[in-house]
């Protein structure tokens, strides 16, 4: 594989909310296709995957109803309490198998309803579905990403209309059932083909980035898809919606022919926040090296605490938690990085123990894929914490799985 184009991707703050610049995302996707042509590569197919839960509302003319909110915005948390009054979380979990996260689409949509944003909406598309619609002109829902919303029945693998009706969400939004990937949508729209300089077929792969990454694994077993989030889990044949799974906050997300039974761990987002707070003075590799040199304390911060979801200052939040726990407060960038890495390793170990207890399976090793697998220091800390080998797979596992599914669409 060869990387042809890359762009930074961070939300903007507008009127006190975190939003995505949808026009920019569309423009960057098209720029990536143009870069392929300029580099001498004319693709047969193109497929898009992104993170989950974020969606674009469309009006009767299929025009986006803006803004496109970022999942890290606080509006979902505002709505969660009201949703749980109508549907207690235990009932939701038994039906959907999706762990509680304040940003789940179910809460975002309920907020939209209470703020009048659904009045003009005739349909919606999750972000990668919208980007493929922008390219092809064809709308479709894809199962793996739809499964993250908290609105899909885990067993039936389609919209749970009882949930939709109980929350008073417009049923018209859920008239098209999710499809199993890969889904061939057709050729690039004429105006897009003219802009990028070629035509090709548009495919919905596993549009949830973790689902594409896990599709690239050579075998089943315990894994971490390590990036902005660390998703630790295993592939199963059936969802697990027991009280124990709910208590441990594990999620049953759709895979390619499997259920991805996993737990969200805040992951390298914390390092990204630290790096940005330090004005990007240090690379990720430099922060890891500095952390290894300044390993002054074995931290076990609660990395999944909501204080770390969108911190104004990750250093201030870490310092406050350390002070409250009576631990040494980090002083240098390396010590802050070490507090993050050691805490992640302990979080991985705890989640792996929960995974084995809930599933009744034992895993001899742990495979880490994604960009986080390049962090040798974190891998070593993880291996020590879990007491078994850590294996590393493709750092670009998401892209690899995406491409494999595009190839499968040709068969």
């Amino acid at each position: 594989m060869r990387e042809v184009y890359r762009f930074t991707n961070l939300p903007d703050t507008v009127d006190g909310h975190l939003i995505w610049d949808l026009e920019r995302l569309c423009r960057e996707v098209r720029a990536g296709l143009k870069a392929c042509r300029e580099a001498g590569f004319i693709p047969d197919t193109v497929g898009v995957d992104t993170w989950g839960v974020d969606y674009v509302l469309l009006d009767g003319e299929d025009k986006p109803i803006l803004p496109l909110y970022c999942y890290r915005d606080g509006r979902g948390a505002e709505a969660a309490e009201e949703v749980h009054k109508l549907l207690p979380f235990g009932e939701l979990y038994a039906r959907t198998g999706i762990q509680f996260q304040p940003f789940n689409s179910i809460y975002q949509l309920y907020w939209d309803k209470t703020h009048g944003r659904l009045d003009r909406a005739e349909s919606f598309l999750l972000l990668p579905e919208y980007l493929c619609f922008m390219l092809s002109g064809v709308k479709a829902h894809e199962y793996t990403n739809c499964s993250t919303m908290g609105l899909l029945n885990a067993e039936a693998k389609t919209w749970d209309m009882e949930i939709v009706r109980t929350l008073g969400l417009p049923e018209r939004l859920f008239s098209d059932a999710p499809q199993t990937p890969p889904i061939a949508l057709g050729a690039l729209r004429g105006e897009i083909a003219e802009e990028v300089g070629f035509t090709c077929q548009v495919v919905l792969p596993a549009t949830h980035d973790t689902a594409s990454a896990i599709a690239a694994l050579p075998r089943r077993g315990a894994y971490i898809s390590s990036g902005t989030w660390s998703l630790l889990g295993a592939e199963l044949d059936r969802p697990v919606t027991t009280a124990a799974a709910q208590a441990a906050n594990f999620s049953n997300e759709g895979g390619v022919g499997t259920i991805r039974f996993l737990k969200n761990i805040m992951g390298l987002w914390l390092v990204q926040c630290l790096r940005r707070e330090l004005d990007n003075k240090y690379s990720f590799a430099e922060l890891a090296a500095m952390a290894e040199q300044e390993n002054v304390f074995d931290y076990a911060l609660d990395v999944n605490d909501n204080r770390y979801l969108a911190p104004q200052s990750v250093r201030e939040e870490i310092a406050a938690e350390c002070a409250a726990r009576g631990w040494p407060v980090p002083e240098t960038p390396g010590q802050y990085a070490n507090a993050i890495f050691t805490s992640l390793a302990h979080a991985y170990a705890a989640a792996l123990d929960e995974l084995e207890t809930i599933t009744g399976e034992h895993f001899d090793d742990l495979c880490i894929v994604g960009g986080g697998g390049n962090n040798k220091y974190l891998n070593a800390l993880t291996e020590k914490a879990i007491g078994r080998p850590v294996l590393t797979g493709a750092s670009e596992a998401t892209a690899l799985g995406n491409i494999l599914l595009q190839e499968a669409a040709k068969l």
Side-chain angles (χ1 to χ4, degrees), residues 317-391:
E317 296 294 352
I318 290 173
E321 183 175 353
C322 289
R325 292 175 177 267
W327 296 341
V329 174
E331 296 179 354
T332 67
Q335 289 173 9
Y336 275 102
N338 184 66
I340 293 169
F341 291 134
T342 54
S343 299
L344 286 175
H346 286 299
Y348 297 162
L352 183 59
D353 287 345
E354 290 174 328
L355 176 65
E356 291 186 325
T357 299
I358 293 167
T359 63
E361 296 186 35
H362 173 74
F363 301 98
D364 293 329
D365 50 41
L366 180 66
C367 182
I368 301 180
V369 298
N374 295 324
N375 190 322
K376 294 181 179 179
Y377 178 54
L378 178 56
N379 292 345
L381 290 173
T382 302
E383 195 166 68
K384 180 181 178 181
I386 67 175
R388 65 199 83 180
V390 165
L391 313 176

Side-chain angles (χ1 to χ4, degrees), residues 1 70 88 186 220 257 268 319 325 336 410:
M1 295 196 299
C70 171
R220 287 197 184 188
L268 298 178
R325 292 175 177 267
Y336 275 102
K410 300 177 185 178

Side-chain angles (χ1 to χ4, degrees), residues 36-336:
C36 288
R37 183 203 65 211
E38 293 163 359
F41 299 105
I42 304 299
D44 296 324
T45 59
V46 59
V48 179
D49 62 78
T50 75
W51 58 96
V53 310
D54 283 345
Y55 53 86
V56 182
L57 296 173
L58 301 174
D59 65 16
E61 297 180 347
D62 288 334
K63 303 297 183 185
I65 298 172
L66 299 177
L68 167 55
Y69 288 100
C70 171
Y71 68 92
R72 291 187 186 275
D73 183 68
R75 69 198 188 106
E78 290 179 28
E81 186 176 347
E82 294 304 312
V83 169
H84 293 164
K85 288 178 182 177
L86 297 170
L87 278 169
F89 179 68
E91 183 178 342
L92 274 176
Y93 188 85
R95 301 181 72 90
T96 68
I98 295 300
Q99 68 180 162
F100 173 73
Q101 292 286 1
F103 50 71
N104 288 348
S105 309
I106 183 174
Y107 308 123
Q108 295 195 54
L109 277 166
Y110 193 79
W111 188 94
D112 283 343
K113 175 202 163 186
T114 59
H115 287 72
R117 277 174 44 88
L118 301 186
D119 295 346
R120 290 192 301 119
E122 291 296 323
S123 63
F124 77 91
L125 291 170
L126 289 161
L127 181 56
E129 298 168 350
Y130 180 82
L131 293 172
C132 286
F133 168 61
M134 177 268 298
L135 294 174
S136 70
V138 179
K139 294 192 292 184
H141 286 307
E142 185 276 314
Y143 165 62
T144 68
N145 218 329
C146 290
S147 74
T148 68
M149 297 181 69
L151 288 159
L152 216 65
N153 186 283
E155 289 285 356
K157 299 183 179 180
T158 193
W159 303 122
D160 193 315
M161 296 307 293
E162 185 172 334
I163 295 175
V164 171
R165 295 184 188 106
T166 300
L167 298 182
L169 301 176
E171 293 186 35
R172 63 181 179 275
L173 299 182
F174 304 93
S175 57
D176 295 326
Q179 301 178 51
T180 302
I183 306 160
L185 298 180
L188 292 177
R189 291 191 294 118
E191 62 192 83
I192 300 295
E194 184 176 353
E195 178 183 352
V196 303
F198 61 87
T199 191
C200 66
Q201 295 296 307
V202 182
V203 174
L204 286 174
T207 62
H208 190 270
D209 48 10
T210 308
S212 270
I214 301 312
L217 285 176
R219 61 171 174 81
R220 287 197 184 188
Y223 62 78
I224 298 178
S225 179
S226 179
T228 300
W229 288 90
S230 293
L231 294 308
L232 185 148
E235 290 183 280
L236 305 178
D237 294 321
R238 297 280 306 270
V240 180
T241 57
T242 61
Q246 177 190 333
N249 216 24
F250 269 73
S251 213
N252 294 268
E253 297 180 1
V256 181
T258 65
I259 295 294
R260 294 178 292 116
F261 186 65
L262 55 83
K263 185 165 189 170
N264 282 46
I265 300 168
M266 200 69 77
L268 298 178
W269 163 252
L270 298 171
V271 184
Q272 294 169 9
C273 290
L274 177 63
R275 184 168 177 264
R276 187 165 60 247
E277 199 170 312
L278 296 170
D279 298 321
N280 296 318
K281 182 178 179 180
Y282 306 103
S283 68
F284 292 110
E286 287 172 332
L287 284 172
M290 293 159 62
E292 189 170 9
Q293 293 170 2
E294 299 201 57
N295 187 350
V296 296
F297 188 78
D298 189 18
Y299 292 94
L301 301 167
D302 182 2
V303 293
N304 275 346
D305 192 288
N306 282 342
R307 71 196 306 159
Y308 297 119
L309 188 61
Q312 292 295 315
S313 168
V314 73
R315 286 184 293 179
E316 288 181 9
E317 296 294 352
I318 290 173
E321 183 175 353
C322 289
R325 292 175 177 267
W327 296 341
V329 174
E331 296 179 354
T332 67
Q335 289 173 9
Y336 275 102

